[in-house]
Structures are given as C-alpha cells and as structure tokens.
Amino acid sequence: MFAVVPDPIPARMKGLNRAEICDANFQQFVREWAGPRGAAPAHDEPVLAGSALDAQGFRELFESQLISRHLDLMARVLRVQNKVFYTIGSSGHEGNAMIARATRHTDPAFLHYRSGGFMAERFRKLPGMDPVMDAALSFAASADDPASGGRHKVWGSKPLWVLPQTSTIASHLPKALGTAMAIEHARRIGQPLPVPDDSLVVCSFGDASSNHATAQTAFNAAAWASYQGLQAPVLFVCEDNGIGISVRTPAGWIARNFAQRAGLDYFAADGLDLAAGFGDVERAVEHCRRSRRPTFLHLRTTRLMGHAGTDFEIEWRALEELCAVEASDPLLRSAAIALESGLLSADGILTLYEATRARCFAAADVADRRPRLSSLAEIIAPLAPYSLDAVRAEATRCVDADARAAAFGGEARLPEQQPPRHLAIQLNQALHDLLLKYPEALLFGEDVAQKGGVYTVTKGLQAAFGGRRVFNTLLDETMILGMAQGYANMGLLPLPEIQYLAYFHNACDQIRGEAASLQFFSNGQYRNPMVVRIASLGYQRGFGGHFHNDNSITALRDIPGLVIGCPSRGDDAAMMLRTLMALAKVDGRVCALLEPIALYMTKDLYPGDGAWLTAYPPPDQALTPGEPRVYDDAASDLLILTFGNGVPMSLRAAREIQAEHGWSVRVVDLRWLLPLNEAAIARHARECARILVVDEGRRSAGVGEGILTAIVEAGLGATPLRRVVGADTYTPLAGAALLVIPGEDDIVDAARALAVT
Ligand SMILES: Cc1ncc(C[n+]2csc(CCOP(=O)(O)OP(=O)(O)O)c2C)c(N)n1
Ligand SMILES: [Mg+2]
C-alpha cells in the first residue's frame, strides 16, 4: 500500500466519484511527498538501487502509465457528454506497460481490455505514432479509428501487431496459442512468416477469466503441446486484480492453480511496482522467447474506479475496502519511485500529469469532431469482402500439369481419368488437389491423419503430404478452431475438420465471436481465412442417434460474414471446395463446408443405378458462390427447393409426384446456405406454379424459414407452397430417427396437399 487510508473515512467521501478520488489522491500524494529524495540516476543507471529498470526506461514507462490513466479519466468525463462510448478502463493495470517494453512490436499480441499501458508503451516502438490520438478515436467510435474504423472500442493496431479484441473474455486464448504454434509450424513447412522467426505471442487476460472453459482449453492445449516437446512460444499474462466485476478470486488461487502446472512455466511479477516488477517481466519474456515454451506470467495488479463507468462500487463494496484498493494505485508507487530516485520533482510530475490530461482531452476533442459511421454500407464493408472475378480466377487456377500428374502417380491416375465415384472419394481427391495447390494449406482435426477420418474422407493425405501438413489434434473443438485462427494469422491456410456437426456447437464461439468477426473489428486489416469442414446432418442408416445425426445448422446460419456451402454430390463438393479455398485465399473469408455424412458413400439414386456417382471435375472447374444446381430447368408445375440429403430424396419423390399428378417437377439444389441466393430462389419460384421447400433441418429457425421468406418477400407468397421439414426435437436412435426428419413420403404427401390447394 502506498497511500494512507484516511481514518476515519470522512462521510463526504461516500458520495464522491471514485475516478475523481483517484485523480485527487495522486496529486495530493505527489504534493505531500515527504520521503527520501536521491540524486537523479543517469538514464542508463538503475532507477532505484537493485532495480533491473534503468532511469530512461522508468521514465518512459511512467509516461505510458500516465497516458493510460488519463485516457480512463477522460473517458469517464466525456461519457456523460456522449462523446465517448466506452468506459472499461485500465486503471490499476498500467504496469502491463512493462510487458510491452520487454517484448517487440512484432510479437503478435491478443490483449485484455485493460491494456492502455501496454498500448501506450508499444506505440514507442514505431516512430510517428500517437497512442493518445488512436485511443481517443476508438473511444469516440470515430470512423477514423485506425484499429476498428469505429466499430468497437478495441485495443488493436495493424503496424504494432495487436490483433483487435473486444471485451468478451478468454475467447482469444485459443487463437493466441494457435498463433504461437503457427510461428513454429510455418518454419517447419518452409513457409514465410509475417513476423521474425523468434517472435513470441503475448496473450493477456484477467484473473477471473482464467477460470473460463475457453481459457482452460488453451492452458491444457499448451501443456499438451509442451509435454510432447512441441514448441509454442506464448506468454500468457494473467493480470490478477483479485476480482471479476464483483466476484472475488479467492486469495492465492491463481498461484495455486498455475504455479505447479506441468507444461506451463510459471513466473510472477509485481505489476504495481515498475522498479521491482520489470526484472521479473523481462525474465518471463526472455524465457518464453528462448525456450519457446508456453509461459505463464502472473502479474499483480489492482482495479481502480470499478469494473467500468457504470459500476458504482460504492453501492456494493465497503468504503474501507475501496480506499485500501485506491491506496494500492500503481501510479502512486511510480510517483514515489520518481521522487525517491530524484528523477523527477513533485512539480515535474504534476506538470507531466496535467500535460498528459490536456493531451488526452485535446485528442478527444479532435476525435469527437471526426466523422462517425453513418451508413449500413460503411459498417458492413469489411465484413464479407467478395471479389468475384479474382475468386473465380483463383478457384480455377491450376498447378503445373506435370507436377500434378506426378503427385497423383502419373497421368493415368489423375482423378478426372477415373470412373465416377461417390462423395467421400471426390472430397478426398479435391483435398489432395488443394493441398498440392496451396503449399501453405494445413489439414487437421480429430482422427484425420493415419485413420483418414471417421469416414475415410482424408485417407492417404497424411501419407501423401506428411505429418506436418496433415495431422491429428487433441480432442478439443475449441482448440481446433483456435489453432485454425492462429495458423491463418501467420499466413497459413487452414482446413480444420470438425468430426460431427453436433460437436461444432461447443466451439461455436470460436467462429461466431472470433474468426468471423476479425475483419469486421479490424476494419479489414486483419483476416483469418479458413475452410472448416464439418461432417453434418442426419439419415445415417443404423448409426448414431442425435450427436452423429445433428440436422440443425441454425447456429452457423446467422453468423455474420460466414460462407456456408453444402454439396449433395461429389462433383459439386470438389468444385465447391475449390471456390471456398479461393474465397479464403483472395478475400480472407471464413468458410464452412457441411458434408452430408449420409451421402458420403451413396452410389445410387435408385438401387443399383449408380446415379449418385459423379466424374471428378478437372481442377479448372469451380462453382460460383450462390449458384444452385437445377434439375430440369424447363419444368414448371412444381418447384422443390432443397439442399443436402433433400436433393436425392426430392429427385426420387419428384418421379412419384410426376406419375401421380402429371406435373413436371423442377428440383433446385441450393448448395449455398449462407448467404442464401434469394434472387435465384425468387426466379425459380416465379417460374413455377407450386412450391415445396424440403429442409432436413428443424422446423424452427431452419434454412426453410429463410427460403420461404425470400419467396414471400419477392411477392410470391400467393403461390401454393408447403414446407417439408424436420421436427423440433433431437434425433433418436435407430429407425425412430426417420420419424423426426423428412422422408420421401412426406414430400409426396406435401405435393398431394398442394394438389388440393
Ligand atoms: C464470456 C464472457 N462472459 C462474461 C463476460 C462479462 N464480463 C466481462 S468482464 C468480466 C469479469 C472479468 O474479470 P477478470 O478476468 O478478473 O478481469 P478484470 O475485469 O478484473 O480485469 C465479466 C464476467 C464476458 N465479457 N465474456
Ligand atoms: Mg480481475
């Protein structure tokens, strides 16, 4: 504790704004300093005897702390004037500036929301940048905010390798670890890195957040990696202020939980005291950089002014406790170091303090007068970039023909020279082609390597491309998707596999909150392209129950910016994969390929006809995103709009319907489920007399709702139409499964209902 807790606490202090109290405390503390005063050390001498921090370093860190503090104070004042829109501050955490000082600006950083000190210090690493102005623009949600373009208050910077984080907690740990793994991995496969080879990754978070499943996932995976000797130079920085909003972290919990954790090398540093803490911070950083091992730095901090501006701690916390916390303000300690060392006089400190305040308010004033986001088009511009021509060119770009022939074992063994095959084989061959085409592509997931996946889709790929490009991960979907983001951040092109759709759901946030949001929150400056393959949907005969037959894609369907493709046959799957890879490569898009499990091995439309086997499309063929496949474009009595398993079912049902009613039936396989091609849906709907929507998903919030909406919004709601859709239930085991998802009979019945409409 550096300041004295008033005793007794005057009643008037109860009504005061705690930010004002911290502000006043600092000034009073400096003015009333009566402690020792040394002869000022030279700039390269220790700031205090025995400190690893020299005077120059201390001075700069202190300035960074002051910048951070005054940004907080400014935000509290201007929030009520509607000039600032975010008040989660860094006060009490300013010591994290030491991490920035001890690392490089090319060490990718994924930061806690209390990183004002870190940012101010990292800004020193490149000339001509102004941390105050950048932060002020972000606080003001100005469209000129260099980090997010005014979309969110984030700590982020492209030139400084700070990938923007909003204020969800823990969700960034998996990708931080993934980025660290990628730094090592890229070298092993001979791919260039966008940062120096010996970079480490900084990842900070709060004490309460360390308990979160997503954080624990990353700690476990880091330990899992280091246990096997896999290098992962990530510096986890736990900024321990002892509390999460209002929930106390039990005293000693962080040390108890992490100090002895195998595979995580634990360091502790005092983040409240620059002179004492810096040496320990440096040691942790150097250990991580040199050993390339996951390192856990436990940084002591405190939390001043409540969780955010809306948190009136005085209403739920004892005043004595608040005063005690305020007395541990790290800025008081820094002022004491400055005074005690003789480096700065009281007047010097107060002048610097006021000058920093003025600088922050001046920047805020400028920021307030800058434009804000003013149109939807502007807001969503970076969300879903789509360069049609470039994507098409990339999707159909071929590798050298001789090299390709050699890779497949000779001209005669090229997949397009083979007889028609089923979906699983064509996916496998397409993946083979894509791993050839993109040397930076990595394929990974559970069981994908030697076994070749549960359904053999990835069989032989590890043998062909080696264990560095095709490999098994630990059994953890959150980490699989975190690794994908990390690899993408380092310039690789990940093809993660999620073994079953049901298991995507427990890792959904990695796509929803993180991967798909990166271009949005970085104003298109950062991107994490990937193609996530997910074995999906129902109708597996004799296998599995709900979790192997999950038919709901709703959780994916509303993720902004995500592209979802769902092929129903092998040739489409191959061409779709090429397009998705091109979307990832060219536009940085996050893409999902839903592979209908029940169609993997399907060979026939009718028993023995082989009609569901397809020729392998040569590598210069791809799909245009959104483009459906139409079966009998000339038919107009009945339109069936469907996808996935619904396609062969509808084609079979169409034959019965034709026989029964004499109708010509047009079956449209939408193939692309996000975004839905509403124009194509409307076109086909307009051209046909009746409409059936066959959606194997659930009744509520399924794709069918989107299709119907497109029809109605196109003014075609008067057309006789019906939806054939799964029930709102989980899928039961065995034959009972077929009672909850649509069957051919249901389609035929629905057509009958249309006939009497
Ligand atoms: C996944 C998630 N759950 C809940 C929240 C709401 N929330 C924001 S900060 C916070 C407490 C975090 O405490 P800690 O990790 O100790 O960080 P501190 O704020 O103390 O620095 C909570 C519960 C959130 N942002 N994200
Ligand atoms: Mg905390």
Side-chain angles (χ1 to χ4, degrees):
M1 299 302 156
F2 315 120
V4 180
V5 181
D7 182 26
I9 293 164
R12 63 175 173 81
M13 283 187 73
K14 261 188 95 76
L16 279 183
N17 169 335
R18 306 314 295 182
E20 287 169 4
I21 288 175
C22 290
D23 193 4
N25 273 354
F26 181 82
Q27 297 174 60
Q28 186 181 354
F29 179 83
V30 172
R31 260 196 312 270
E32 294 177 0
W33 175 258
R37 285 168 191 270
H43 70 272
D44 56 351
E45 285 175 1
V47 62
L48 291 180
S51 173
L53 183 63
D54 62 29
Q56 174 70 11
F58 167 77
R59 214 192 147 99
E60 292 183 358
L61 283 169
F62 186 31
E63 280 173 18
S64 296
Q65 289 186 306
L66 291 176
I67 287 173
S68 176
R69 175 62 54 89
H70 276 298
L71 286 171
D72 284 3
L73 295 174
M74 173 274 283
R76 295 295 169 104
V77 172
L78 297 187
R79 173 66 212 101
V80 289
Q81 298 174 27
N82 246 7
K83 293 180 172 179
V84 153
F85 303 92
Y86 193 88
T87 55
I88 298 184
S90 306
S91 295
H93 287 243
E94 291 91 346
N96 56 30
M98 293 187 285
I99 317 283
R101 188 165 191 86
T103 54
R104 308 174 186 152
H105 79 276
T106 45
D107 289 330
F110 301 82
L111 298 180
H112 190 37
Y113 44 72
R114 304 200 192 281
S115 293
F118 180 100
M119 287 302 287
E121 186 66 22
R122 187 167 268 207
F123 265 75
R124 292 181 192 285
K125 309 255 173 185
L126 283 183
M129 296 184 66
D130 179 357
V132 173
M133 196 61 229
D134 275 23
L137 289 164
S138 192
F139 274 114
S142 161
D144 291 344
D145 156 28
S148 80
R151 286 172 188 78
H152 210 282
K153 163 69 187 67
V154 295
W155 293 122
S157 166
K158 179 69 180 169
L160 294 172
W161 271 102
V162 179
L163 289 89
Q165 280 310 125
T166 63
S167 41
T168 68
I169 55 94
S171 49
H172 55 305
L173 273 75
K175 66 179 169 185
L177 173 61
T179 305
M181 290 169 142
I183 288 173
E184 296 302 309
H185 204 110
R187 201 183 51 235
R188 285 202 297 275
I189 62 168
Q191 286 297 312
L193 272 175
V195 294
D197 280 4
D198 63 345
S199 297
L200 56 76
V201 174
V202 177
C203 177
S204 57
F205 49 89
D207 47 295
S209 306
S210 73
N211 298 299
H212 198 278
T214 313
Q216 292 288 333
T217 264
F219 301 139
N220 180 67
W224 179 87
S226 68
Y227 178 71
Q228 305 170 69
L230 289 172
Q231 298 185 319
V234 59
L235 180 71
F236 290 121
V237 181
C238 181
E239 300 190 11
D240 185 0
N241 58 20
I243 200 164
I245 300 188
S246 68
V247 181
R248 265 173 255 277
T249 293
W253 169 243
I254 299 297
R256 169 60 63 91
N257 200 9
F258 292 98
Q260 307 298 335
R261 206 147 161 160
L264 270 187
D265 299 343
Y266 177 89
F267 290 76
D270 190 349
L272 298 177
D273 185 327
L274 300 180
F278 189 69
D280 293 325
V281 167
E282 272 190 324
R283 264 187 290 286
V285 169
E286 285 319 307
H287 171 81
C288 184
R289 193 178 310 283
R290 209 174 356 87
S291 70
R292 321 300 290 157
R293 284 169 58 82
T295 304
F296 188 98
L297 174 58
H298 182 188
L299 189 71
R300 185 160 84 110
T301 60
T302 189
R303 189 191 73 190
L304 304 171
M305 310 180 193
H307 176 71
T310 45
D311 175 19
F312 299 105
E313 280 183 295
I314 195 76
E315 290 173 1
W316 59 270
R317 235 176 146 176
L319 187 57
E320 291 73 10
E321 193 186 334
L322 280 183
C323 289
V325 166
E326 285 156 5
S328 69
D329 182 346
L331 261 59
L332 302 182
R333 178 62 193 142
S334 290
I337 296 169
L339 291 162
E340 201 178 312
S341 64
L343 206 59
L344 289 169
S345 66
D347 281 351
I349 293 174
L350 291 174
T351 304
L352 180 62
Y353 189 72
E354 289 310 322
T356 310
R357 187 200 307 275
R359 186 176 163 199
C360 290
F361 273 90
D365 196 44
V366 172
D368 182 47
R369 286 184 273 112
R370 294 279 184 84
R372 296 204 161 84
L373 291 166
S374 57
S375 71
L376 176 61
E378 205 184 346
I379 292 165
I380 64 173
L383 180 63
Y386 178 30
S387 320
L388 176 62
D389 292 339
V391 167
R392 198 175 277 150
E394 177 62 23
T396 54
R397 178 175 66 82
C398 297
V399 300
D400 174 73
D402 292 341
R404 179 168 178 259
F408 276 100
E411 191 86 22
R413 299 178 78 161
L414 285 172
E416 60 269 31
Q417 307 293 345
Q418 309 306 312
R421 307 299 300 269
H422 50 275
L423 174 66
I425 297 278
Q426 302 302 37
L427 274 168
N428 179 272
Q429 311 206 96
L431 288 168
H432 200 119
D433 256 330
L434 289 165
L435 285 163
L436 208 58
K437 177 172 171 177
Y438 296 105
E440 72 275 31
L442 302 173
L443 190 150
F444 52 94
E446 295 153 16
D447 304 298
V448 299
Q450 297 86 350
K451 180 173 166 63
V454 175
Y455 296 97
T456 68
V457 174
T458 57
K459 202 178 171 96
L461 295 177
Q462 189 186 49
F465 294 96
R468 291 175 176 172
R469 303 220 21 229
V470 177
F471 51 92
N472 292 328
T473 61
L474 76 177
L475 203 173
D476 183 343
E477 287 75 17
T478 301
M479 220 26 248
I480 290 171
L481 297 176
M483 285 164 69
Q485 293 168 77
Y487 290 131
N489 287 334
M490 290 295 101
L492 304 175
L493 192 50
L495 270 160
E497 175 181 303
I498 299 292
Q499 202 163 66
Y500 287 95
L501 177 59
Y503 307 131
F504 164 76
H505 292 106
N506 65 48
C508 179
D509 180 55
Q510 287 300 305
I511 298 296
R512 170 183 296 275
E514 298 298 315
S517 76
L518 183 63
Q519 297 202 57
F520 184 78
F521 288 124
S522 70
N523 200 13
Q525 297 176 91
Y526 284 106
R527 35 190 265 173
N528 45 24
M530 67 180 74
V531 178
V532 187
R533 297 177 38 252
I534 311 178
S536 302
L537 306 173
Y539 299 96
Q540 289 200 75
R541 300 258 163 202
F543 184 73
H546 177 76
F547 290 94
H548 301 105
N549 287 277
D550 190 351
N551 60 336
S552 174
I553 68 159
T554 303
L556 282 151
R557 231 190 109 222
D558 78 336
I559 296 178
L562 184 68
V563 179
I564 306 177
C566 182
S568 65
R569 41 189 269 179
D571 50 357
D572 281 358
M575 294 189 291
M576 187 178 270
L577 249 181
R578 293 170 192 158
T579 303
L580 293 174
M581 288 293 270
L583 277 163
K585 182 78 188 165
V586 172
D587 286 322
R589 300 293 291 272
V590 177
C591 306
L593 182 77
L594 306 183
E595 301 173 359
I597 300 170
L599 298 177
Y600 271 148
M601 308 297 172
T602 299
K603 298 180 178 60
D604 302 332
L605 189 56
Y606 292 97
D609 70 353
W612 221 244
L613 301 172
T614 59
Y616 184 78
D620 62 352
Q621 292 183 18
L623 299 186
T624 303
E627 181 194 351
R629 177 182 285 278
V630 183
Y631 295 85
D632 198 355
D633 208 3
S636 61
D637 295 322
L638 174 67
L639 168 67
I640 302 182
L641 293 161
T642 189
F643 65 93
N645 293 289
V647 177
M649 284 195 310
S650 296
L651 288 171
R652 285 189 292 264
R655 198 187 272 191
E656 286 187 49
I657 293 166
Q658 207 152 16
E660 189 173 331
H661 304 285
W663 293 345
S664 61
V665 183
R666 184 186 305 185
V667 174
V668 171
D669 177 358
L670 291 168
R671 298 194 290 202
W672 302 89
L673 304 183
L674 186 70
L676 269 180
N677 187 342
E678 298 185 353
I681 292 169
R683 161 166 93 84
H684 291 290
R686 200 169 290 118
E687 291 172 2
C688 296
R690 303 167 190 85
I691 303 170
L692 281 182
V693 173
V694 176
D695 171 8
E696 61 187 286
R698 294 192 205 131
R699 179 164 208 85
S700 297
V703 178
E705 286 188 354
I707 300 171
L708 283 186
T709 305
I711 293 168
V712 172
E713 285 189 340
L716 301 163
T719 313
L721 53 84
R722 283 274 185 295
R723 185 162 53 126
V724 182
V725 65
D728 283 333
T729 176
Y730 300 99
T731 305
L733 200 58
L738 299 176
L739 299 172
V740 308
I741 46 177
E744 278 156 54
D745 290 352
D746 299 311
I747 304 173
V748 174
D749 285 349
R752 268 184 212 127
L754 282 180
V756 297
T757 306

